Each structure stands twice: as structure tokens, then as C-alpha cells.
Amino acid sequence: MAIETNNIVMNKLPNDFQMNKYGIEVRLVDEKDTPFILSLRADKWLTRFIHQTDNDEQKQREWIRNYKEREKEGKEYYFIYSKNGIPFGLNRIYDIHDGSCTSGSWLCVPGTPVNHSISTALLNRDIMFGILGIKEDNFDVRKGNKKVQKFHLMTGSVQTGETELDILYRATPDTHEKGKRKILKLLNIEEYGNQ
């Protein structure tokens, strides 16, 4: 299904969306994921560079119910990543409008293999650019988050500015494809094989 805003046509994901790529399974978040989401989003260490969530299951379930309405409208998508059916990571695509979006809330369980963690970011952009038809991802990274800044520069994202707290970046389908090829080769990740 496609939606059109300001003469820009973008696709919508079905509510049962799932995909397997780079040996990783991805699907949309559901209320049953609340305990897993809170295990990451309420962890002070993991969320030191992103907005922390209250460790309140009822609030999180309510947030997910509201999010599912935004998902139906094609305004936001929240993903769970798994390996062999065991969830290990999550991230989002939000503020979708006029061919643009923001990616964020990227977290993985401590000890997740680097290839799996990197694959979640690649998959997020594969969905964003290749399936949804988004033309640019405008996102920010906290200034203290040097590893993630380095990753985004390695994958071709371009710094567009900064605020007091954040470095601002932009990724496009072209920068993603070029950066993705480099990362897949560097980490020996097979696009459709096992890791």
C-alpha cells in the first residue's frame, strides 16, 4: 500500500511485516514485546545517549497501542530484531513525512555480536529506502556517542550540523548503498546467508 504527501509517494508496511536478511529476522513491535523493550529502554547505561523510558509496563503497553495507530497511518515503525527466534535488538523509523524520516532508538542486548548489531542498522535503512521509498534520513547522535558517530560516517552518512547536545546527520539511498557494500565486505556479512 502506498501513501502520497506533497506529490511524494511512499509505501506502507503491512501490520504483519517481517523479513529475514543478513541472517537476522526483523518484525514490527507488538504489545507482547513490552518486557524485552523495557529490558533495553529502561537500562540507564544502554540509554545514556538516547531518551530513557520509564520502567513501567503499563505505560509502555499504552505507548505501543498509540504507536500502532501511527504505524497504521505510515508515520512510524518500531522494529524488533531476532536471531533464531531470540530477540536481541530494536530501532525505529519515525517522523515520516514528505519523503523524509528520522531513524533512532537503536539498542542491542549487551554482548550482541558486532555483525548482528550492525545488521540491524543496515536492515533499518534497507526497509526505509528500499521498501518504504524514503529519500532521506535526518537523524542525530549525541556528541558523547563516538562509536555510533564513527559507524554512521563509515556507512556514508553526512554531517549536516550540530546542536549543543547532538551531531546532525543525513543518509540517502545512494549513501546507504555505497556504505552498505563497504560494511558487508569489511565484516564478511552475507546479505541473505547465515552469520
Side-chain angles (χ1 to χ4, degrees):
M1 175 186 267
I3 52 175
E4 183 174 340
T5 58
N6 296 333
N7 296 321
I8 297 171
V9 177
M10 294 184 299
N11 297 315
K12 284 175 51 176
L13 298 179
N15 63 355
D16 62 349
F17 173 80
Q18 49 188 322
M19 182 176 174
N20 190 319
K21 195 171 183 182
Y22 314 119
I24 302 297
E25 302 114 30
V26 60
R27 64 173 173 76
L28 294 167
V29 161
D30 203 299
E31 276 188 67
K32 71 181 182 306
D33 298 309
T34 296
F36 174 71
I37 292 168
L38 287 178
S39 76
L40 298 179
R41 293 300 308 264
D43 183 295
K44 288 183 184 348
W45 174 253
L46 290 177
T47 59
R48 67 195 182 281
F49 297 120
I50 65 173
H51 177 76
Q52 191 175 0
T53 300
D54 290 333
N55 194 5
D56 183 318
E57 197 164 312
Q58 184 175 339
K59 279 185 185 177
Q60 183 64 44
R61 287 182 184 279
E62 184 178 325
W63 189 93
I64 291 171
R65 281 191 291 273
N66 291 330
Y67 146 74
K68 291 305 251 185
E69 293 304 312
R70 296 188 299 276
E71 177 190 290
K72 285 179 195 173
E73 296 171 11
K75 294 180 178 178
E76 183 174 341
Y77 298 101
Y78 199 176
F79 303 101
I80 292 280
Y81 298 87
S82 303
K83 179 72 174 174
N84 299 322
I86 300 168
F88 69 86
L90 50 89
N91 61 25
R92 297 189 309 142
I93 300 171
Y94 56 99
D95 196 21
I96 299 171
H97 66 331
D98 301 330
S100 174
C101 75
T102 301
S103 61
S105 304
W106 181 25
L107 293 172
C108 289
V109 170
T112 295
V114 171
N115 285 8
H116 297 169
S117 180
I118 296 298
S119 294
T120 65
L122 297 177
L123 258 168
N124 184 271
R125 291 230 171 95
D126 287 348
I127 294 165
M128 177 190 308
F129 297 133
I131 297 175
L132 295 174
I134 290 170
K135 301 303 179 199
E136 61 183 42
D137 176 15
N138 295 293
F139 62 98
D140 56 77
V141 178
R142 288 287 156 100
K143 288 184 175 178
N145 200 350
K146 302 293 186 191
K147 287 182 182 178
V148 171
Q149 290 173 32
K150 184 177 178 179
F151 166 76
H152 286 301
L153 291 172
M154 281 181 61
T155 58
S157 297
V158 176
Q159 184 176 338
T160 59
E162 64 181 83
T163 67
E164 187 177 321
L165 294 175
D166 301 309
I167 305 292
L168 309 177
Y169 293 95
R170 175 174 296 126
T172 64
D174 186 50
T175 62
H176 169 62
E177 284 303 316
K178 288 177 186 171
K180 179 173 79 169
R181 284 192 297 272
K182 182 168 58 174
I183 293 293
L184 292 176
K185 184 176 181 181
L186 179 69
L187 296 178
N188 196 28
I189 298 173
E190 293 182 30
E191 197 156 350
Y192 290 99
N194 292 326
Q195 293 187 42

